[in-house]
Amino acid sequence: MRFNADPPTAAEALLLDCCGSRRWAERVAAHRPYPTLDALLAAADEAGYDLSGPDLDEALSRETSALPHPDAPPAARTALGAALAAYESSFGHAFVISLDGVPAGERLDQVLAGIRSRLCNEREEERVIAAEELRRLARTRLTRSIAAR
């Protein structure tokens, strides 16, 4: 795996594109070499579960809420924009959701349903859910980044 041979700064940069916590990226990079992609993903998951409050805040601050495809109907773009604004106003960070395995045609509905169901969460409950979604996103992004090299 080429990732194992990258200089520390390059490895950390790749990891920061997957999860915006500098501590997470440093920790995962520091434990190289990884014998397999599965071992790397397991280490990334473990580091994700160990994120402190400030580390999670840092990672969430670097996320952006997904916008609908430009070809989406105007009503869908308006509904999603309003839902994202309400979420960000309530929780102070972008809405994060892993859509891994969700067909492209169902993603907008999944995002809207996710926002609607999570808007009623208490702040701490939502942080737990957002942290789990961030771990799932990091895993998907890391898999894609390693495969693309």
Side-chain angles (χ1 to χ4, degrees):
M1 187 168 20
R2 192 173 129 200
F3 172 74
N4 287 329
D6 285 347
T9 55
E12 289 173 17
L14 180 143
L15 291 163
L16 277 170
D17 285 341
C18 299
C19 176
S21 164
R22 183 157 302 284
R23 183 173 160 265
W24 177 87
E26 290 170 351
R27 179 176 170 185
V28 175
H31 288 93
R32 294 175 303 152
Y34 293 100
T36 63
L37 175 60
D38 286 339
L40 170 59
L41 295 174
D45 284 344
E46 182 180 332
Y49 285 113
D50 291 342
L51 288 177
S52 68
D55 295 330
L56 179 58
D57 291 340
E58 178 186 28
L60 289 171
S61 75
R62 293 184 178 181
E63 292 292 321
T64 56
S65 296
L67 299 175
H69 190 277
D71 294 338
R77 289 196 308 270
T78 300
L80 182 58
L84 290 172
Y87 180 91
E88 291 172 11
S89 175
S90 292
F91 298 109
H93 59 79
F95 178 73
V96 291
I97 188 169
S98 173
L99 298 172
D100 201 26
V102 176
E106 297 174 21
R107 290 182 178 187
L108 179 60
D109 290 338
Q110 282 290 110
V111 170
L112 283 168
I115 293 170
R116 288 182 185 127
S117 71
R118 290 167 52 185
L119 267 172
C120 62
N121 291 341
E122 295 294 325
R123 184 173 287 271
E124 285 308 308
E125 178 185 12
E126 181 56 24
R127 281 180 65 81
V128 169
I129 294 169
E132 179 59 30
E133 292 296 325
L134 188 62
R135 280 188 293 278
R136 292 175 62 205
L137 282 169
R139 186 179 181 86
T140 299
R141 292 169 180 164
L142 187 51
T143 300
R144 287 183 184 150
S145 293
I146 296 298
R149 302 178 87 214

